[in-house]
Amino acid sequence: MENSENATQEMETKIMIPTEHGEREATCISLIKIDETGKMFLIYTFNEHDDNGMEIIHVSHYQETENSIELGEVTDEEWEQIKDYLREVIKSEEV
């Protein structure tokens, strides 16, 4: 089992996320596109857990420009769409 876990960790994409205190390394979980809006969202984690042991995830609006990648805040409406997407992913994995 240890080899499987190491292989998974090696495949994870590490990214630098700008924060109010400078850049911080995060693990990219997924890059998704919401069809209704055409917008892209980056789902990532700093590998932190809440009081219940659940991994805390973060979501940012994702936009590529010619020279860089821009991350922005997610509206409440977009967050609801992203939660719906995540629920569907979880349901499909349970089957």
Side-chain angles (χ1 to χ4, degrees):
M1 185 96 164
E2 186 173 316
N3 290 336
S4 298
E5 290 175 7
N6 289 337
T8 301
Q9 290 173 353
E10 291 173 4
M11 292 174 54
E12 293 176 343
T13 302
K14 301 292 183 183
I15 54 176
M16 296 305 289
I17 300 291
T19 69
E20 57 193 34
H21 304 290
E23 287 191 334
R24 188 169 173 199
E25 185 178 80
T27 301
C28 177
I29 296 172
S30 184
L31 181 62
I32 64 169
K33 180 178 182 180
I34 302 295
D35 291 332
E36 294 137 12
T37 64
K39 292 183 180 180
M40 300 287 291
F41 297 92
L42 178 65
I43 303 172
Y44 58 96
T45 181
F46 293 117
N47 298 313
E48 300 169 323
H49 296 83
D50 66 13
D51 294 338
N52 297 318
M54 300 293 291
E55 190 164 14
I56 299 170
I57 63 167
H58 302 269
V59 178
S60 292
H61 178 258
Y62 175 94
Q63 184 173 359
E64 289 186 40
T65 64
E66 287 185 28
N67 300 322
S68 66
I69 294 172
E70 296 178 9
L71 299 178
E73 292 191 27
V74 175
T75 66
D76 291 340
E77 182 180 324
E78 291 168 333
W79 178 236
E80 290 303 318
Q81 292 172 326
I82 293 164
K83 286 194 299 188
D84 289 342
Y85 167 83
L86 293 172
R87 285 185 195 105
E88 289 301 317
V89 168
I90 291 168
K91 282 182 189 177
S92 69
E93 289 180 358
E94 290 177 349
V95 173

